[in-house]
Amino acid sequence: RKEVEQDPGPFNVPEGATVAFNCTYSNSASQSFFWYRQDCRKEPKLLMSVYSSGNEDGRFTAQLNRASQYISLLIRDSKLSDSATYLCVVNGGGGGNKLTFGTGTQLKVEL
Amino acid sequence: NAGVTQTPKFRILKIGQSMTLQCTQDMNHNYMYWYRQDPGMGLKLIYYSVGAGITDKGEVPNGYNVSRSTTEDFPLRLELAAPSQTSVYFCASSTRTGVASVLTFGAGSRLTVL
């Protein structure tokens, strides 16, 4: 089983739709979780951290389910500008802050 | 405030050549990292550093070397380039480790080995 697993997509959705991505992780000792956004041929940028209690930032909501070892990202009212690849990132702990990146889920928002 | 700056942005190497990818950050971050990203793959950690003078191997260190003589700079050296090193390389830095850590990435260096 991969350490961090994501559906590669692409998810093709119309503008205004709600879309959700899941990401599973294998290390039950993982301590911190993030969603990064990566535009085509650009560097990843932090979208949001994922807290145990769940957190929301505008149209974006992140959830953590430790029992089932997955995190989710919900995007409401999708915009064309949301088209990107969303990377699930997990910190397994230990020294050096070694993060494990998923391969990403591609989202395409269409008119 | 430039953040993390990588040079060059693009480079073509011949098999067996060597080169250095430069990375500089101006945020006074202690932690710095080099990742590579291949098509359809997640970012893989090559080397990382927790402070000046301290470096350690990541997941895929073979064929690479690093040094960290200052807080700001973390160059990545490719010795004897091979086609398998064709990739996009990202340098990143963070202010801390652990649960609150967030990476700031450079714009990437696209390397092709022919």
Side-chain angles (χ1 to χ4, degrees):
Chain A
R1 182 182 176 185
K2 288 184 181 179
E3 286 189 66
V4 176
E5 203 148 6
Q6 297 182 252
D7 182 341
F11 284 62
N12 298 303
V13 302
E15 205 173 15
T18 296
V19 62
F21 311 134
N22 279 346
C23 164
T24 58
Y25 61 94
S26 61
N27 183 357
S28 59
S30 296
Q31 298 175 3
S32 51
F33 310 87
F34 310 89
W35 285 103
Y36 278 71
R37 170 191 169 131
Q38 186 173 27
D39 292 300
C40 187
R41 303 174 80 84
K42 297 289 184 76
E43 73 273 25
K45 292 184 179 178
L46 179 71
L47 179 66
M48 57 199 305
S49 302
V50 186
Y51 303 121
S52 297
S53 55
N55 48 301
E56 188 174 309
D57 182 2
R59 297 181 294 107
F60 298 85
T61 300
Q63 297 279 355
L64 167 64
N65 185 317
R66 284 193 183 273
S68 300
Q69 293 182 209
Y70 75 86
I71 66 173
S72 64
L73 178 67
L74 180 78
I75 305 174
R76 290 181 298 278
D77 188 22
S78 299
K79 312 290 185 190
L80 294 175
S81 57
D82 294 333
S83 297
T85 297
Y86 292 84
L87 306 177
C88 170
V89 185
V90 175
N91 186 336
N97 191 29
K98 286 179 278 188
L99 303 176
T100 301
F101 285 76
T103 54
T105 297
Q106 188 180 10
L107 172 66
K108 296 181 179 179
V109 181
E110 302 162 334
L111 286 171
Chain B
N1 189 344
V4 179
T5 303
Q6 289 182 235
T7 56
K9 286 187 166 48
F10 303 94
R11 182 74 186 268
I12 298 175
L13 281 181
K14 293 182 179 178
I15 294 173
Q17 287 185 319
S18 300
M19 74 161 297
T20 299
L21 300 177
Q22 302 291 345
C23 176
T24 299
Q25 54 92 7
D26 61 1
M27 297 173 286
N28 202 31
H29 285 176
N30 286 330
Y31 299 88
M32 295 189 74
Y33 316 83
W34 274 105
Y35 288 90
R36 60 176 286 173
Q37 186 177 35
D38 300 318
M41 306 289 287
L43 277 78
K44 301 293 184 186
L45 182 64
I46 305 171
Y47 271 95
Y48 67 98
S49 170
V50 301
I54 306 169
T55 62
D56 207 348
K57 296 178 181 179
E59 189 179 355
V60 289
N62 291 343
Y64 307 95
N65 276 301
V66 293
S67 59
R68 183 95 183 271
S69 57
T70 66
T71 299
E72 295 77 21
D73 299 309
F74 191 42
L76 178 71
R77 177 87 177 155
L78 280 73
E79 306 282 2
L80 298 174
S84 61
Q85 293 177 304
T86 294
S87 189
V88 180
Y89 292 83
F90 290 103
C91 179
S93 70
S94 67
T95 186
R96 56 186 292 186
T97 186
V99 296
S101 58
V102 170
L103 297 184
T104 300
F105 285 88
S109 298
R110 192 171 298 272
L111 176 67
T112 301
V113 181
L114 300 174

